[in-house]
Amino acid sequence: MIVSNLADDFINAEPVIKAIENAGFEAYFVGGSVRDTILGLPIHDIDIATSAYPEEIKEIFNKTVDTGIQHGTVMVLDHGEGYEITTFRTESTYQDFRRPDHVEFVRSLEEDLKRRDFTINALAMTHDGRIIDLFNGLQDLENHIIRAVGTADERFNEDALRMMRAIRFASQLDFTIEMETKKALKKHAPLLKKIAIERIHIEFIKLLLGKNPQIGLRHFVESDLVKYCPEFNNYLSELTDMSKMQSIKLTSEVAAWSLIIHVLKITETNINHFLISWKSSNELITHVQIVIKALNGIIHDSVSRELMYETGLELLLIANEVAAIFNSNLDAEMLTVAYTALPIKSKKDMAINGRQLIKDVGIQPGEKLGQILSILENRILLEEVPNESTQLLKVAKQLMLKLA
Ligand code: ATP
Ligand code: MG
């Protein structure tokens, strides 16, 4: 097979591949970008694999950076672009069912493709679009099948993360998992315990953001992989229900976790614990907490000005996206209009600040100052007072006397 109309990313990388070939080595596009091109999907990050060793790559190009030299990856800088070039390798020693700590460089493309996870990910492409298909990946792509390269049992034993990758590709591409590969998932699911939560987290989110998350979730539950993920053991029936939901369409990680928390009925006080167990960042946790509050408001038809103000437009629209899964969403445009009409969007928009209150009203710095500022903020928001400094100073004076 020859792919015509290669995307610009491939065409721009052509001189790099040609330079490696001119030095007497082989170099190919490999991995997700080749798979996605054949499927007609947009590509992101192209990977290049080569028979040249890292030191040899560094001799060919003037500008290189050792981005992952211990794994055989060198970044070549060309025309302001960076290309990651990885030497063909085998991963011979797997310890503890995790990715190997030791890699062996080889000259053979076949050896390199053999250690890849699935046949659809084990294709290589020359700079002019010729596909090298040593494991029937093209046929599996055509038939929408995820199949381990070689023996699934062995491959999951070598690296248990591949099991999560199998089910995330099932969701992302809406593909079927081949029978032997599927059986091996169930057999080896407990090995997932050996994998760092952060890496499982990444795959799980890709699964939820995929084209068919329901199918991914179904495999997740049926294979028992779910049981070796943080906290999920107590929610098997909820996750099964989720795999039967009508339409799940998510566009961000915050939306994905918010949906999970809503479906699992995790209370607001437990969100923190739950997301920490999944090793989530503080930023993610804060955002999810805000979205869950907004989601409850949207679902219960009580979206106040205060709620919109506290949530902010971006998270408000995410909450609305999650509400849409339950047919409880508001019209996104109307929600945007309502938000935009708020007299202020944050404290920074107030026509008065603490310093002015100290100087012009004579309020002492301290708790009372904060109290007066937040009363003013709320009154501006509810349009009880115009956001205008003389008016606000007047109200501040009254408040000072009242709170004295
Ligand atoms: P994505 O579109 O998510 O980037 P991808 O297939 O490019 O998908 P990457 O994680 O970027 O996935 O990995 C690039 C390639 O490296 C894969 O296509 C596969 O060939 C190989 N690979 C990645 N992780 C593994 C693994 N755990 N075991 C074997 N091969 C792997
Ligand atoms: Mg990739």
Side-chain angles (χ1 to χ4, degrees):
M1 176 184 194
I2 295 188
V3 180
S4 48
N5 293 328
L6 289 178
D8 286 349
D9 288 348
F10 290 123
I11 291 169
N12 295 339
E14 201 182 303
V16 174
I17 293 201
K18 279 189 173 159
I20 301 174
E21 287 177 348
N22 288 339
F25 302 101
E26 294 172 46
Y28 305 91
F29 297 113
V30 288
S33 63
V34 177
R35 174 197 70 223
D36 291 342
T37 292
I38 299 169
L39 287 173
L41 299 172
I43 60 162
H44 46 105
D45 65 336
I46 57 167
D47 297 306
I48 298 172
T50 181
S51 61
Y53 291 167
E55 292 309 318
E56 291 165 336
I57 290 293
K58 283 160 69 169
E59 272 172 36
I60 300 171
F61 299 96
N62 288 332
K63 288 191 202 150
T64 63
V65 187
D66 289 357
T67 46
I69 196 92
Q70 68 280 27
H71 311 113
T73 304
V74 173
M75 180 179 289
V76 168
L77 300 172
D78 182 79
H79 296 97
E81 283 288 335
Y83 296 96
E84 302 241 283
I85 319 268
T86 306
T87 302
F88 295 156
R89 59 193 197 198
T90 57
E91 292 168 352
S92 41
T93 47
Y94 286 85
Q95 285 172 4
D96 225 9
F97 317 103
R98 276 175 294 185
R99 63 182 155 185
D101 41 16
H102 159 89
V103 299
E104 219 166 282
F105 301 140
V106 288
R107 296 289 189 191
S108 141
L109 172 67
E110 182 172 358
E111 284 299 314
D112 183 86
L113 296 179
K114 223 196 286 189
R115 58 105 190 156
R116 293 177 182 270
D117 48 6
F118 305 107
T119 59
I120 58 168
N121 289 344
L123 296 162
M125 184 170 81
T126 60
H127 64 79
D128 47 6
R130 190 167 52 84
I131 300 293
I132 296 161
D133 176 18
L134 305 179
F135 301 98
N136 278 330
L138 282 177
Q139 198 183 331
D140 285 340
L141 263 187
E142 192 165 323
N143 295 328
H144 292 190
I145 287 172
I146 293 164
R147 181 197 313 268
V149 174
T151 314
D153 265 336
E154 286 172 17
R155 308 315 309 286
F156 293 160
N157 239 304
E158 288 165 356
D159 177 0
L161 185 72
R162 290 176 185 150
M163 296 187 284
M164 285 303 292
R165 288 174 59 87
I167 66 173
R168 80 106 145 151
F169 284 118
S171 162
Q172 245 180 356
L173 303 170
D174 195 6
F175 276 22
T176 314
I177 303 179
E178 173 272 332
M179 194 52 81
E180 289 303 314
T181 306
K182 199 167 132 180
K183 273 199 237 158
L185 285 179
K186 185 139 185 152
K187 184 164 164 199
H188 298 292
L191 294 180
L192 198 62
K193 280 187 278 193
K194 310 277 180 184
I195 302 294
I197 310 286
E198 290 88 340
R199 301 180 71 210
I200 301 176
H201 184 142
I202 293 170
E203 299 301 330
F204 183 61
I205 288 305
K206 287 187 176 174
L207 181 159
L208 289 178
L209 298 182
K211 191 164 148 195
N212 191 344
Q214 289 92 333
I215 200 92
L217 284 167
R218 216 185 69 209
H219 288 304
F220 188 47
V221 175
E222 286 177 359
S223 65
D224 288 344
L225 284 167
V226 63
K227 293 185 182 161
Y228 305 96
C229 289
E231 299 289 319
F232 277 173
N233 238 330
N234 300 323
Y235 297 102
L236 298 181
S237 67
E238 286 84 351
L239 288 160
T240 306
D241 290 347
M242 197 168 162
S243 74
K244 294 176 189 153
M245 278 168 57
Q246 276 295 315
S247 61
I248 302 182
K249 189 87 209 72
L250 296 163
T251 56
S252 68
E253 176 168 12
V254 174
W257 281 117
S258 300
L259 175 65
I260 289 280
I261 282 161
H262 183 76
V263 174
L264 270 47
K265 300 193 181 67
I266 292 170
T267 58
E268 285 193 31
T269 42
N270 288 330
I271 293 175
N272 195 47
H273 168 82
F274 176 79
L275 288 176
I276 285 178
S277 75
W278 272 89
K279 305 256 190 225
S280 308
S281 69
N282 290 336
E283 190 193 21
L284 178 74
I285 297 174
T286 310
H287 286 174
V288 170
Q289 281 168 327
I290 295 171
V291 166
I292 287 292
K293 221 171 146 194
L295 176 64
N296 287 329
I298 295 172
I299 289 179
H300 297 113
D301 247 339
S302 62
V303 180
S304 62
R305 283 174 183 237
E306 284 99 330
L307 184 64
M308 289 196 285
Y309 179 76
E310 282 166 22
T311 309
L313 185 58
E314 197 183 331
L315 296 181
L316 203 54
L317 292 174
I318 289 180
N320 202 42
E321 170 188 326
V322 180
I325 296 169
F326 306 95
N327 290 320
S328 300
N329 57 315
L330 301 166
D331 182 280
E333 212 167 306
M334 273 167 59
L335 192 59
T336 308
V337 169
Y339 176 85
T340 313
L342 293 177
I344 50 172
K345 309 292 183 291
S346 79
K347 281 193 175 56
K348 288 201 294 285
D349 298 338
M350 289 170 70
I352 203 165
N353 60 30
R355 228 174 311 119
Q356 279 165 285
L357 291 184
I358 296 167
K359 190 165 140 271
D360 299 341
V361 188
I363 307 175
Q364 296 301 309
E367 199 183 323
K368 197 149 89 185
L369 178 68
Q371 225 178 336
I372 292 176
L373 271 170
S374 67
I375 295 174
L376 292 177
E377 183 185 11
N378 186 255
R379 292 203 183 162
I380 298 169
L381 186 64
L382 301 180
E383 291 183 67
E384 292 171 3
V385 189
N387 188 22
E388 191 263 310
S389 62
T390 15
Q391 298 267 7
L392 290 170
L393 285 173
K394 215 165 92 188
V395 179
K397 273 179 199 148
Q398 292 164 1
L399 285 171
M400 186 175 72
L401 296 174
K402 213 166 107 188
L403 294 173

